[in-house]
């Protein structure tokens, strides 16, 4: 498969960014999107065209949430319920043009190329995400009686990996979905109920003071 890639290049946080166009060929339909970018970077290095395209990745198993890219105007690309690393080139047609951008949201400033600073999410968690209650020795999790429906709800909320797609997709760059997920997963279980109200207040206060209504980047 052959693709035309329009990729956002930006030297650093202060530089003005722009799109550059590249061609990649002989891409397998079973290749993941990040593997396709690896192939492009190998081509750029070998042909001495430019420095490799910088992009975030870690586990490449859809768990860590680092691989957030805006692909053809949609966070993580044109598939549902996946991260960018789990997007495969079979979801595109041979000869397609693909536009690749970093998260276009002011709370996630660009560091370089497709890499953004997600420190804002870390600060939300730090604002109220810890349990300070002294519990003594930590009991085995299986010995704490928790109704199954509560455990299921907490697990569903904990499934949020903090990738930032909700912020990137929102025209106001709101992080309310992320905050809601973290508040729920910490408050539904017995260990988190002691400080639930204070945690919510701190996290929501930080959200509104530092993130809300910053909007998407033009």
């Amino acid at each position: 498969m052959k693709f035309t890639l329009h990729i956002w290049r930006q030297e650093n946080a202060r530089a003005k960014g722009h799109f550059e166009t590249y061609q990649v060929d002989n891409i397998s339909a079973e290749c993941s999107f990040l593997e396709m970018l690896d192939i492009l970077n190998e081509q750029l290095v070998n042909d001495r065209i430019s420095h490799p395209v910088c992009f975030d990745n870690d586990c490449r198993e859809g768990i860590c949430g680092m691989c957030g890219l805006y692909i053809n105007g949609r966070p993580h690309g044109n598939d549902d319920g996946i991260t960018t690393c789990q997007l495969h080139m079979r979801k595109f047609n041979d000869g397609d043009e693909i536009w690749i951008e970093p998260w276009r949201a002011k709370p996630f400033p660009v560091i370089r190329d497709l890499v953004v600073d997600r420190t804002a999410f870390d600060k939300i968690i730090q604002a109220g995400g810890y349990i300070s209650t002294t519990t003594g020795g930590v009991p085995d999790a299986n010995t704490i009686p928790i109704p199954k429906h509560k455990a299921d709800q907490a697990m569903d909320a904990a499934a949020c990996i903090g990738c930032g797609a909700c912020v990137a997709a929102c025209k106001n760059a709101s992080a309310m979905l992320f905050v809601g997920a973290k508040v729920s997963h910490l408050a539904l279980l017995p260990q988190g109920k002691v400080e639930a109200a204070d945690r919510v207040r701190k996290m929501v206060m930080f959200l509104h003071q530092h993130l809300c209504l910053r909007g998407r980047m033009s």
Side-chain angles (χ1 to χ4, degrees), residues 6-7 97 100 142 168 179 184 207 214:
H6 305 284
I7 301 178
E97 293 191 43
I100 309 169
N142 292 331
V179 172
S184 296
L207 171 70
R214 288 191 180 184

Side-chain angles (χ1 to χ4, degrees), residues 82-95:
I82 63 164
T83 52
T84 302
C85 63
Q86 297 298 298
L87 176 66
H88 289 81
M89 302 313 295
R90 59 178 175 268
K91 292 295 181 178
F92 300 89
N93 297 316
D94 188 22

Side-chain angles (χ1 to χ4, degrees), residues 20-86:
E20 291 186 5
T21 301
Y22 306 97
Q23 302 287 335
V24 289
D25 205 350
N26 297 319
I27 301 296
S28 169
E30 301 309 311
C31 185
S32 76
F33 199 87
L34 296 190
E35 288 170 339
M36 181 273 295
L37 290 179
D38 289 337
I39 293 171
L40 169 65
N41 279 341
E42 185 176 357
Q43 174 183 311
L44 294 179
V45 171
N46 290 341
D47 296 343
R48 298 183 179 181
I49 297 173
S50 70
H51 68 76
V53 176
C54 296
F55 60 92
D56 268 332
N57 69 102
D58 190 1
C59 71
R60 298 204 179 194
E61 295 178 351
I63 298 172
C64 71
M66 291 295 294
C67 60
L69 295 179
Y70 218 70
I71 303 169
N72 288 343
R74 181 175 176 179
H76 294 307
N78 56 339
D79 202 357
D80 296 326
I82 63 164
T83 52
T84 302
C85 63
Q86 297 298 298

